[in-house]
Amino acid sequence: MSLFKARDWWSTVLGEKEEFDQGCLCLADVDNMGSGQDKIIVGSYMGYLRIFNPHPVKSGDGTQAEDLLLEVHLRDPILQVEVGKFVSGTEMLHLAVLHSRKLCVYSVSGTLGNVEHGNQYQIKLMYEHNLQRTACNMTYGSFGGIKGRDLICIQSVDGMLMVFEQESYAFGRFLPGSLLPGPLAYSARTDSFITVSSCRQVESYRYQVLAFATDADKRQETEQPKLGSGKRLVVDWTLNIGEQALDICIVSFNQLASSVFVLGERNFFGLKDNGQILFMKKLDYSPSCFLPYCSVSEGTINTLIGNHNNMLRIYQDVTLKWATQLPHVPIAVRVGCLHDLKGVIVTLSDDGHLQCSYLGTDPSLFQAPKVESRELNYDELDTELKELQKIIKDVNKSQGAWPMTERDDLKVSALVSPEFDSVSQAADAEMGTDLVPSVTVKVTLQSRVALQKAKLSVYVQPPLVLTCDQFTFEFMAPEMTRTVAFSVYLKGSYAPPELEGNAVVSYYRPTGIPRVIQCKFRLPLKLICQPGQPSKTASHKLTIDTNKPPVSLLCLFPGFVHQSEDDQVNVIGFHFLGGSRVTLLASKTSQRYRIQSEQFEDLWLITNELIIRLQEYFEKQGIKDFACSFSGSVPLQEYFELIDHHFELRINGEKLEELLSERAVQFRAIQRRLLTRFKDKTPAPLQHLDTLLDGTYKQVIALADAVEENQDNVSQSFARLRSATRLVILLIGLWQKLSADQVAILEAAFLPLQQGAQELAAVLRSQNRTWRNDRWNRTPPNCLPTTSTSLQRRPCLKFHPSKESRNSSSSVVRLRKDGRPQADRCGPHAQRRCRADAGVSPRSPVWT
């Protein structure tokens, strides 16, 4: 919008460190010269009154000494200045100045100078009124239809309207229900005052109703007023606008029609003088001031609206006609005739920038240079285009949309201490009398360039907690290293679904572009479990096959077994801090490992830890063809039982919340009944309402405790279900020999951020329908896609769980019906049948 700048005609800065508001600016022929030229009257909160008459030699000139006609310090802060016929016996214009506790009316006159210094101006106090209440704003007009003079109405901060008939005080009235004062305006056609109350509604009060209403002084009396002493103040009409108003202006087309314009915080309203809405314009900016005036076109209104983005917009009704840039934020805007120039826009900022401007644009003086004509070699252009497309394709394929350079702006590394903290930081752990250990993690940030507002956030899986999870660095200098340390410990009686943590750093590059870097770290297994006694019997068992000779468990888990003479330990026990036990056995004759436990979900952490440590052990030995497999049946029955338990807890939570809502409604109804009985002037028996209130209160407290306890149980059940889901995905990956990318796709499909039994059921049902459709397309139903892209095209992975979670009761039942057929379709027998149907020779399971 640099082209559409306000054309500076004259400007100046008023005083030093002075403050101004929307009522501090006024344009009028205050000295009664009769030439039709307006003067600029400005008052400040510091008590300075200034009157300007700009005479620039050329557009854009600053203030000259003769432009300032008058500058007077009135000592008291000036809230508002207005010009009108405020003195009786004359129709000359006078200046009314509103202070917080005083109203002063001045006469401004000028004396012709006999020397080159020009004319001299002075003000004379005509009269003043000392106010009993603190003033907020004022308006003026011919109240009651009087001719040839103006009356003044002042609104106090406590909602009282005080009317002054020039030199005398007329009456005062309190607005009903007033809490905070709003903008005030007077409509001459309807002879009424219009304001916006603290209830966010526009209210109109007729002057005749105010004049004959009960006097405000009588409201302070304790005695009941006599009949006929006054009427109750009744509002003429109201309109709820739903927001606070910044200003109100009334524009009259003629004596038969007028409109009320209200500037809200986010909307601009146009109303008829009877309260009906003409239009409402929603503003996409924060306005600061406005000024409506009659347009050249008949029946339309032009409105100037300033905002806090230094913009001044001109609307014709609700249509934007022009937008111009200002050098400051306007808090008051007026239009007048200055120095024979009509339509000058005068704006004032809150820090004293006063500017007279007009609308226009800068002509474009730039001419594009002539381009030398030369023949284009289209073959070279095609070759260059193909090379660029190849580079773009390679970058997007290998590095994504935001390629990372070798020397990045920030490097993040995490180091987990190998030993426990000497003094455990687990102060609020819920483990009874057992001491819960904690481990320290250090995260190091190394910056290559200067970074702004770097924020480090650390995440771990519950019930693991951190002593501090948020760190903020306002500024990091180039080549600067910052290290933060925090402790991690277990808070809860169950095992977490993962031991992996994530440190995420968000920062702004020097160019202002936001970036995010993450660093993952792995917590030690001994943080959540201790060495325990192996168990010979268990309810749940898993067997993992390998292609290499068995490794001594002493080498894999040195911190959980004691040194023996033969160094061949084939059995080890793990005791989780929550109480459960897991046993790991290594076969002496075969290449198998068995994990067994009393709880199905506890097998996940030990199984995953075993596979990771086996891979690390053989990598150190230089063996690259190590592989694990699973040949047993997938334990779906145990998995379904966890889903059922989680589903029951969720249903129970919904019932408890519904019952709590009913009891809360009952409790409020009893309270209302009791309040009605207590307010009744005639005493009446309570009819055991107090007993019913006490019993309902106890039920509400008990239900609230039950809801809180159920929420804790749901969190624990969700963590166990997540562990079981990861275990099932791991077993399927070992069973079908899936790659890491394919396992990641399964985790993304079955492990969303928020899920329950219903969502899992919906995913499996969608997968079942997809496989059924593939059978009709002559595609083997048991085989999965060869690439992650083809698997991502599956409809089941694009499922939205919120739509299916409505039929929650049938979801778990369908999950049992759909889960086993899907597992059977992935089995070896189903694969041989599919390959036989497709004419493919038997071979090892592959993704097709």
Side-chain angles (χ1 to χ4, degrees):
M1 303 294 290
S2 60
L3 180 65
F4 299 94
K5 288 185 177 180
R7 314 303 301 143
D8 186 9
W9 184 67
W10 179 87
S11 61
T12 184
V13 179
L14 307 178
E16 294 183 359
K17 297 181 180 180
E18 295 189 41
E19 296 182 4
F20 302 84
D21 205 351
Q22 61 183 7
C24 297
L25 177 64
C26 180
L27 267 66
D29 186 15
V30 67
D31 56 352
N32 298 283
M33 294 296 293
S35 60
Q37 305 297 319
D38 294 330
K39 311 300 185 298
I40 303 176
I41 304 102
V42 182
S44 71
Y45 283 167
M46 302 300 292
Y48 286 94
L49 177 66
R50 299 178 178 91
I51 301 178
F52 292 92
N53 187 18
H55 292 83
V57 178
K58 60 179 180 179
S59 298
D61 285 350
T63 180
Q64 304 295 328
E66 59 270 17
D67 293 341
L68 180 61
L69 302 182
L70 179 69
E71 181 175 4
V72 181
H73 188 208
L74 302 180
R75 299 181 181 276
D76 296 326
I78 299 176
L79 305 182
Q80 190 173 346
V81 290
E82 298 290 350
V83 175
K85 304 173 184 179
F86 301 135
V87 178
S88 60
T90 178
E91 293 189 2
M92 303 289 287
L93 297 179
H94 290 77
L95 176 63
V97 180
L98 178 64
H99 302 284
S100 58
R101 284 282 185 170
K102 184 168 55 175
L103 172 65
C104 300
V105 175
Y106 297 94
S107 172
V108 181
S109 59
T111 304
L112 294 177
N114 297 325
V115 294
E116 62 181 1
H117 297 298
N119 303 335
Q120 297 184 10
Y121 284 79
Q122 61 183 358
I123 62 172
K124 179 182 178 182
L125 178 64
M126 304 302 296
Y127 62 88
E128 67 178 12
H129 293 288
N130 293 319
L131 307 178
Q132 300 298 324
R133 299 179 181 275
T134 304
C136 177
N137 51 22
M138 69 175 176
T139 185
Y140 69 96
S142 55
F143 305 160
I146 60 176
K147 303 296 183 181
R149 56 175 179 164
D150 293 326
L151 307 185
I152 298 177
C153 178
I154 300 176
Q155 182 180 205
S156 64
V157 294
D158 56 354
M160 180 181 178
L161 297 184
M162 297 171 284
V163 179
F164 295 90
E165 294 183 358
Q166 296 180 343
E167 292 87 350
S168 61
Y169 171 73
F171 57 85
R173 302 288 184 266
F174 278 101
L175 296 180
S178 176
L179 180 61
L180 294 174
L184 181 67
Y186 172 73
S187 175
R189 202 188 78 85
T190 60
D191 191 24
S192 58
F193 297 98
I194 300 175
T195 183
V196 177
S197 66
S198 55
C199 299
R200 298 184 176 182
Q201 60 183 8
V202 184
E203 299 177 352
S204 175
Y205 298 92
R206 290 191 177 272
Y207 177 75
Q208 296 296 333
V209 176
L210 289 171
F212 290 100
T214 305
D215 190 48
D217 297 334
K218 296 182 180 180
R219 291 183 52 182
Q220 309 299 330
E221 298 178 0
T222 58
E223 297 181 358
Q224 186 175 359
K226 299 180 180 180
L227 297 177
S229 60
K231 296 182 180 179
R232 183 172 177 266
L233 182 57
V234 179
V235 64
D236 186 23
W237 55 263
T238 61
L239 177 67
N240 193 342
I241 61 175
E243 58 182 325
Q244 295 292 342
L246 302 180
D247 199 1
I248 294 179
C249 287
I250 298 175
V251 178
S252 298
F253 299 100
N254 47 52
Q255 295 182 354
L256 300 178
S258 64
S259 300
V260 180
F261 297 93
V262 181
L263 180 64
E265 295 174 336
R266 286 296 178 185
N267 297 280
F268 172 48
F269 301 89
L271 314 175
K272 293 182 180 180
D273 51 15
N274 59 358
Q276 296 181 0
I277 295 182
L278 290 174
F279 61 83
M280 184 185 75
K281 172 69 175 178
K282 184 174 180 61
L283 307 177
D284 55 355
Y285 50 84
S286 179
S288 59
C289 62
F290 86 132
L291 176 67
Y293 59 94
C294 293
S295 174
V296 178
S297 303
E298 185 177 356
T300 60
I301 294 293
N302 286 356
T303 307
L304 304 175
I305 300 181
N307 59 31
H308 289 277
N309 296 328
N310 298 2
M311 295 293 297
L312 185 67
R313 299 173 185 261
I314 296 89
Y315 293 88
Q316 186 174 21
D317 290 339
V318 295
T319 305
L320 180 64
K321 292 296 185 180
W322 196 265
T324 182
Q325 185 79 33
L326 296 174
H328 55 262
V329 177
I331 53 99
V333 58
R334 300 291 185 269
V335 175
C337 178
L338 301 175
H339 198 56
D340 295 329
L341 182 62
K342 297 182 179 180
V344 178
I345 300 174
V346 182
T347 56
L348 176 66
S349 68
D350 59 352
D351 55 355
H353 284 78
L354 180 65
Q355 179 178 358
C356 299
S357 57
Y358 57 91
L359 303 180
T361 58
D362 287 326
S364 178
L365 303 178
F366 173 76
Q367 293 182 357
K370 295 182 179 180
V371 181
E372 297 181 0
S373 60
R374 57 186 179 89
E375 296 182 359
L376 300 178
N377 190 338
Y378 293 100
D379 294 336
E380 294 181 358
L381 292 177
D382 291 338
T383 303
E384 183 180 1
L385 178 62
K386 291 179 181 179
E387 292 178 356
L388 294 176
Q389 288 178 344
K390 184 177 182 299
I391 294 174
I392 295 174
K393 185 177 180 181
D394 294 340
V395 170
N396 291 337
K397 181 184 297 184
S398 60
Q399 299 180 355
W402 293 94
M404 300 292 291
T405 58
E406 293 183 0
R407 295 187 63 196
D408 205 353
D409 300 334
L410 182 67
K411 292 184 179 180
V412 184
S413 59
L415 177 63
V416 181
S417 175
E419 302 295 335
F420 289 147
D421 297 338
S422 58
V423 178
S424 177
Q425 302 297 321
D428 55 347
E430 302 172 357
M431 291 296 173
T433 58
D434 296 337
L435 181 61
V436 178
S438 63
V439 66
T440 299
V441 181
K442 294 183 179 180
V443 179
T444 303
L445 283 70
Q446 298 177 349
S447 61
R448 184 176 62 88
V449 297
L451 301 179
Q452 298 286 341
K453 297 179 181 180
K455 183 178 181 180
L456 170 62
S457 302
V458 187
Y459 305 93
V460 292
Q461 291 291 335
L464 292 174
V465 294
L466 305 166
T467 54
C468 183
D469 58 352
Q470 298 286 340
F471 302 91
T472 304
F473 310 96
E474 291 296 333
F475 177 77
M476 294 187 66
E479 305 300 334
M480 183 178 181
T481 302
R482 298 291 296 272
T483 302
V484 296
F486 52 89
S487 297
V488 186
Y489 60 90
L490 185 68
K491 180 183 177 181
S493 59
Y494 55 99
E498 293 181 19
L499 288 177
E500 192 176 69
N502 195 7
V504 180
V505 181
S506 61
Y507 64 94
Y508 286 90
R509 300 185 65 182
T511 57
I513 301 176
R515 293 291 298 271
V516 176
I517 293 181
Q518 64 176 351
C519 173
K520 295 185 178 181
F521 57 91
R522 186 168 183 81
L523 299 172
L525 180 63
K526 61 182 180 180
L527 183 64
I528 63 171
C529 66
Q530 301 173 349
Q533 189 67 25
S535 177
K536 297 182 180 180
T537 59
S539 302
H540 307 282
K541 301 178 182 180
L542 290 178
T543 302
I544 304 299
D545 300 329
T546 62
N547 58 352
K548 298 299 177 182
V551 182
S552 173
L553 298 183
L554 180 62
C555 299
L556 297 178
F557 299 92
F560 290 87
V561 293
H562 299 288
Q563 187 75 19
S564 59
E565 296 179 357
D566 53 359
D567 291 340
Q568 292 294 327
V569 179
N570 64 340
V571 60
I572 186 175
F574 300 91
H575 181 205
F576 285 96
L577 297 182
S580 57
R581 298 178 182 271
V582 180
T583 302
L584 174 61
L585 299 94
S587 176
K588 295 182 179 180
T589 57
S590 61
Q591 303 171 356
R592 293 182 177 182
Y593 300 87
R594 170 170 290 182
I595 307 96
Q596 57 188 21
S597 175
E598 293 296 333
Q599 296 183 3
F600 173 67
E601 64 274 7
D602 291 337
L603 300 175
W604 153 247
L605 284 177
I606 304 302
T607 304
N608 186 50
E609 194 74 18
L610 172 65
I611 295 175
I612 292 176
R613 298 196 179 196
L614 283 173
Q615 293 174 348
E616 293 176 351
Y617 175 82
F618 285 107
E619 285 179 359
K620 292 180 180 179
Q621 300 296 327
I623 301 175
K624 299 182 179 179
D625 59 344
F626 171 76
C628 297
S629 61
F630 177 72
S631 58
S633 59
V634 179
L636 294 180
Q637 181 63 32
E638 295 85 350
Y639 184 50
F640 290 152
E641 291 177 357
L642 290 175
I643 294 177
D644 290 339
H645 179 63
H646 182 68
F647 173 74
E648 291 174 359
L649 289 176
R650 292 181 58 171
I651 294 298
N652 188 34
E654 293 178 359
K655 292 180 180 179
L656 289 174
E657 291 178 358
E658 182 179 358
L659 188 58
L660 178 60
S661 177
E662 293 178 358
R663 291 296 180 268
V665 172
Q666 177 181 333
F667 185 73
R668 289 192 293 269
I670 298 173
Q671 281 183 323
R672 287 194 294 269
R673 295 286 297 274
L674 277 175
L675 288 175
T676 303
R677 294 291 179 89
F678 290 149
K679 289 182 179 180
D680 194 359
K681 296 181 179 180
T682 304
L686 297 179
Q687 296 180 351
H688 302 288
L689 285 177
D690 53 345
T691 305
L692 186 59
L693 180 69
D694 182 66
T696 307
Y697 173 76
K698 293 180 179 179
Q699 291 182 5
V700 169
I701 296 301
L703 287 173
D705 295 339
V707 169
E708 185 177 358
E709 181 181 359
N710 187 79
Q711 289 176 352
D712 295 339
N713 295 334
V714 170
S715 301
Q716 296 184 20
S717 177
F718 177 72
R720 294 189 175 99
L721 180 59
R722 191 179 180 89
S723 299
T725 305
R726 286 194 172 276
L727 179 60
V728 170
I729 294 175
L730 174 64
L731 296 180
I732 293 176
L734 297 178
W735 180 23
Q736 296 296 324
K737 296 180 174 58
L738 304 182
S739 64
D741 295 337
Q742 294 165 342
V743 172
I745 293 176
L746 287 179
E747 291 179 351
F750 288 93
L751 287 172
L753 295 179
Q754 294 180 354
Q755 70 174 16
Q758 303 96 306
E759 288 80 356
L760 285 175
V763 171
L764 288 178
R765 286 204 309 275
S766 180
Q767 183 71 42
N768 189 25
R769 287 194 297 267
T770 304
W771 284 338
R772 288 176 182 174
N773 295 334
D774 290 344
R775 177 181 297 179
W776 296 102
N777 296 331
R778 306 298 299 173
T779 303
N782 64 292
C783 301
L784 299 175
T786 55
T787 62
S788 61
T789 305
S790 59
L791 181 57
Q792 289 173 350
R793 297 194 188 104
R794 297 277 180 169
C796 68
L797 300 181
K798 300 178 181 179
F799 173 76
H800 196 279
S802 61
K803 298 180 181 178
E804 293 286 343
S805 60
R806 307 303 182 200
N807 303 325
S808 54
S809 58
S810 60
S811 299
V812 178
V813 178
R814 292 184 180 181
L815 175 61
R816 291 180 174 274
K817 296 181 180 179
D818 298 341
R820 284 195 174 88
Q822 291 169 18
D824 295 340
R825 289 189 182 96
C826 294
H829 301 290
Q831 293 183 17
R832 288 194 292 270
R833 288 196 305 270
C834 295
R835 286 194 291 270
D837 295 339
V840 181
S841 59
R843 53 188 177 130
S844 59
V846 296
W847 285 60
T848 58

